[in-house]
Amino acid sequence: DAKTTQPPSMDCAEGRAANLPCNHSTISGNEYVYWYRQIHSQGPQYIIHGLKNNETNEMASLIITEDRKSSTLILPHATLRDTAVYYCIALSNSGYALNFGKGTSLLVTP
Amino acid sequence: GAGVSQSPSNKVTEKGKDVELRCDPISGHTALYWYRQSLGQGLEFLIYFQGNSAPDKSGLPSDRFSAERTGGSVSTLTIQRTQQEDSAVYLCASSSRAGQGYEKLFFGSGTQLSVL
C-alpha cells in the first residue's frame, strides 16, 4: 500500500475551515484514501474515504486531485472539539491497514 | 456490544511479569487488528486476523508477543516477560471486510500498559 506524507502540525481558528493535506504520490489505481482522527486518549475514529471522486459526509469533505497523488480533508467549520491527530492512509481492497504514520496534529484555537 | 471493547483499560505491571490484554470486536466483524501506540508516536501494526486464515504476525516486535483469536471473535494479546519499552497504549480494531472494496476500521479505547 502507498506511503502517505502529512505535515506534522497545523493550527486553525475556530469557525474557519481546516484544510489538511496528504501526499500519496505512489498510490495505485485500486487504493482508497482513508482519513481517521484520534482525539486525545481515545482510539482513532473513521472520518471519510474516497477513490477518485470528491466525497462529503456529515463530518468532512475529501478532495482528491485528478492524478490522485494528493488529497485534502476539509473540516468546513472547525470547532474546539476537532482538535485531534488526523491520519491519512492509502489502502487497497485486498490489503489491510498496516502502520498509521504520525499524522497531522490539528489545534483549533478560540 | 455496540463497539469494540478492550479490557483492562489500564494495566500496571512489574518488569518480567506476563500480561494479557483482551479485545471484544464488534459482533460479526471478521477482521481484527492489534496496534501499539507509544507516547507521541503513530500506530504501529502488530497482528491481523481475518476469518479462518492464518494471522499476519509480521508486526510483532519479538517472540515475547503473541495473540490468539478464539472462535473468530474475542482476541487476547499476550506479552511475556514484560520490559519497560513495552509500555504503550495497545489498540484493537475490527472491520467487517464485507468485500465492498473499502474497509472501515472501528477502534476500541485501548489498554494503557505501564511496565515498572
Side-chain angles (χ1 to χ4, degrees):
Chain A
D1 298 306
K3 178 180 167 59
T4 60
T5 305
Q6 300 176 252
S9 64
M10 293 182 65
D11 292 349
C12 178
E14 188 177 20
R16 296 294 192 112
N19 298 289
L20 291 89
C22 179
N23 181 286
H24 32 79
S25 58
T26 61
I27 197 168
S28 61
N30 65 344
E31 287 183 312
Y32 287 78
V33 178
Y34 294 79
W35 285 83
Y36 287 79
R37 75 177 181 185
Q38 187 175 26
I39 294 170
H40 181 61
S41 78
Q42 296 181 21
Q45 173 193 25
Y46 165 86
I47 301 173
I48 198 168
H49 74 278
L51 186 60
K52 47 187 176 180
N53 297 324
N54 297 338
E55 302 289 343
T56 295
N57 63 20
E58 65 279 4
M59 293 182 69
S61 295
L62 174 60
I63 307 298
I64 303 174
T65 57
E66 192 169 341
D67 63 8
R68 302 209 326 120
K69 293 186 176 183
S70 66
S71 61
T72 301
L73 180 75
I74 301 173
L75 308 178
H77 306 287
T79 71
L80 300 179
R81 287 175 295 180
D82 291 324
T83 291
V85 177
Y86 288 77
Y87 299 98
C88 167
I89 59 173
L91 183 65
S92 69
N93 59 3
S94 61
Y96 45 90
L98 296 181
N99 294 330
F100 288 53
K102 292 188 179 182
T104 295
S105 178
L106 175 68
L107 176 64
V108 180
T109 56
Chain B
V4 178
S5 177
Q6 291 188 246
S7 60
S9 55
N10 283 282
K11 177 72 176 179
V12 180
T13 190
E14 294 179 349
K15 178 181 172 181
K17 301 277 190 179
D18 298 352
V19 295
E20 285 190 351
L21 312 179
R22 177 187 169 103
C23 173
D24 279 275
I26 292 173
S27 178
H29 278 192
T30 59
L32 187 147
Y33 305 74
W34 283 98
Y35 287 88
R36 177 170 72 173
Q37 188 171 35
S38 301
L39 191 63
Q41 302 299 308
L43 278 71
E44 176 190 5
F45 166 78
L46 296 178
I47 189 168
Y48 166 74
F49 295 90
Q50 167 55 23
N52 295 322
S53 302
D56 180 348
K57 305 179 182 180
S58 60
L60 295 178
S62 77
D63 58 8
R64 296 187 296 105
F65 288 72
S66 63
E68 289 185 342
R69 188 176 186 195
T70 54
S73 181
V74 171
S75 178
T76 302
L77 177 69
T78 301
I79 309 173
Q80 296 178 310
R81 305 180 302 281
T82 53
Q83 304 294 313
Q84 288 182 329
E85 60 263 28
D86 299 334
S87 296
V89 176
Y90 289 81
L91 290 157
C92 175
S94 70
S95 70
S96 63
R97 297 296 283 187
Q100 298 158 304
Y102 62 89
E103 180 181 17
K104 289 168 62 171
L105 271 63
F106 295 82
F107 283 84
S109 296
T111 294
Q112 172 72 64
L113 176 65
S114 301
V115 182
L116 304 179

